[in-house]
Amino acid sequence: MMRSLKMPHARTLAPELIATARAQRWEPAEVIKALFTEEIRGRAASMLATRRKAAGFPTGKTFEAWDPAASSIPAPTQQALRTLEWIRRGENLVVCGPSGTGKTFFLEALGQQAVEEGLRVAWFRLEDLGQLIRAHRTDDSVTRAITRVLRADLVVIDDIGLLAVGTDAAEGLYRVVDAAYEKRSIAISSNLHPAGFDELMPKTLATATVDRLLHHAHVCQTSGDSVRLTQALAGKGVTLLS
């Protein structure tokens, strides 16, 4: 019956649980409750794993490894963003600043927390959006592809500003931001403040993208030396001079 009802987690536990219940003279209701509890726990774990895999996170970093004091983002801002209320309100987040200052780490940790709280997340690099546009332009299915992306509650676009933005990537960024406007949350990490996006992509697209992105948005600017570079140099006994 458990196989027919698709209760794999309870079915796996059942032989051991029933033997224990018989030995300890459990009430029938206790046995049923224990089996249902195990099924609910197992399904929740499976759904979490599925959401994590679908998100496509780059490294698996979470807030367990995050040091709030080491970040240049003010502690009250970190705490407010970690409530995830901004996602539930459909607001955006921009984290901009120099390389190595924790932008991607912070966004991934937020994404991981969102997944743990039952939200759907999709992670992209800007180049990924360009590839998406190219792949679907041939059969005129770009709109459908963007619609599928926005099934996620939060779309993260990582590492803007390192390189000039190609035409397809610029279109992909605009299309995602435009389609998500006041419906879904977008979070981006960038070496540039969005006001400087016209240095990377055509001015018309940049203006339209930034206009939609920054309306109802939280902007955090990181600062300081690269954590990766500092750690690497420290391992060699080298100190960065300010």
Side-chain angles (χ1 to χ4, degrees), residues 95-124:
V95 183
C96 52
S99 293
T101 52
K103 303 185 300 295
T104 296
F105 192 153
F106 187 60
L107 287 188
E108 183 171 2
L110 284 173
Q112 293 276 7
Q113 183 177 327
V115 163
E116 290 168 7
E117 295 190 19
L119 299 173
R120 293 166 297 180
V121 177
W123 186 282
F124 293 91

Side-chain angles (χ1 to χ4, degrees), residues 155-173:
V155 178
V156 183
I157 304 169
D158 189 31
D159 268 348
I160 298 175
L162 292 177
L163 299 169
V165 180
T167 303
D168 292 332
E171 180 184 341
L173 178 61

Side-chain angles (χ1 to χ4, degrees), residues 87-201:
I87 299 178
R88 297 182 178 95
R89 293 193 297 264
E91 297 168 355
N92 298 328
L93 172 62
V94 176
V95 183
C96 52
S99 293
T101 52
K103 303 185 300 295
T104 296
F105 192 153
F106 187 60
L107 287 188
E108 183 171 2
L110 284 173
Q112 293 276 7
Q113 183 177 327
V115 163
E116 290 168 7
E117 295 190 19
L119 299 173
R120 293 166 297 180
V121 177
W123 186 282
F124 293 91
R125 296 170 304 158
L126 195 54
E127 294 83 356
D128 298 330
L129 292 181
Q131 292 171 6
L132 183 74
I133 295 298
R134 285 193 296 275
H136 290 275
R137 182 177 283 124
T138 54
D139 61 356
D140 199 27
S141 60
V142 172
T143 300
R144 289 197 299 274
I146 298 299
T147 299
R148 286 195 295 272
V149 169
L150 293 179
R151 289 174 183 169
D153 301 289
L154 170 65
V155 178
V156 183
I157 304 169
D158 189 31
D159 268 348
I160 298 175
L162 292 177
L163 299 169
V165 180
T167 303
D168 292 332
E171 180 184 341
L173 178 61
Y174 167 74
R175 280 180 174 269
V176 168
V177 171
D178 180 57
Y181 181 61
E182 295 190 330
K183 298 174 186 175
R184 292 287 189 271
S185 289
I186 303 291
I188 69 168
S189 74
S190 173
N191 282 36
L192 283 176
H193 187 281
F197 279 8
D198 57 0
E199 299 175 22
L200 304 171
M201 54 195 288

Side-chain angles (χ1 to χ4, degrees), residues 226-240:
S226 166
V227 175
R228 289 185 293 268
L229 181 58
T230 301
Q231 291 173 343
L233 293 178
K236 297 180 180 181
V238 178
T239 302
L240 286 174

Side-chain angles (χ1 to χ4, degrees), residues 8-136:
H9 309 287
R11 186 162 61 89
T12 299
L13 179 66
E16 178 184 350
L17 180 71
I18 291 171
T20 300
R22 185 181 293 115
Q24 297 181 4
R25 298 185 178 182
W26 289 12
E27 291 292 328
E30 292 181 276
V31 180
I32 295 170
K33 181 180 178 181
L35 288 172
F36 281 6
T37 299
E38 177 63 16
E39 185 62 29
I40 291 170
R41 184 206 62 77
R43 289 188 183 192
S46 295
M47 289 173 65
L48 175 58
T50 298
R51 289 196 302 273
R52 269 211 180 100
K53 183 177 180 180
F57 293 119
T59 63
K61 290 178 179 175
T62 69
F63 280 119
E64 289 184 4
W66 175 257
D67 181 2
S71 174
S72 56
I73 300 173
T77 300
Q78 293 185 48
Q79 294 166 4
L81 292 172
R82 288 182 64 172
T83 66
L84 305 184
E85 287 302 316
W86 57 281
I87 299 178
R88 297 182 178 95
R89 293 193 297 264
E91 297 168 355
N92 298 328
L93 172 62
V94 176
V95 183
C96 52
S99 293
T101 52
K103 303 185 300 295
T104 296
F105 192 153
F106 187 60
L107 287 188
E108 183 171 2
L110 284 173
Q112 293 276 7
Q113 183 177 327
V115 163
E116 290 168 7
E117 295 190 19
L119 299 173
R120 293 166 297 180
V121 177
W123 186 282
F124 293 91
R125 296 170 304 158
L126 195 54
E127 294 83 356
D128 298 330
L129 292 181
Q131 292 171 6
L132 183 74
I133 295 298
R134 285 193 296 275
H136 290 275

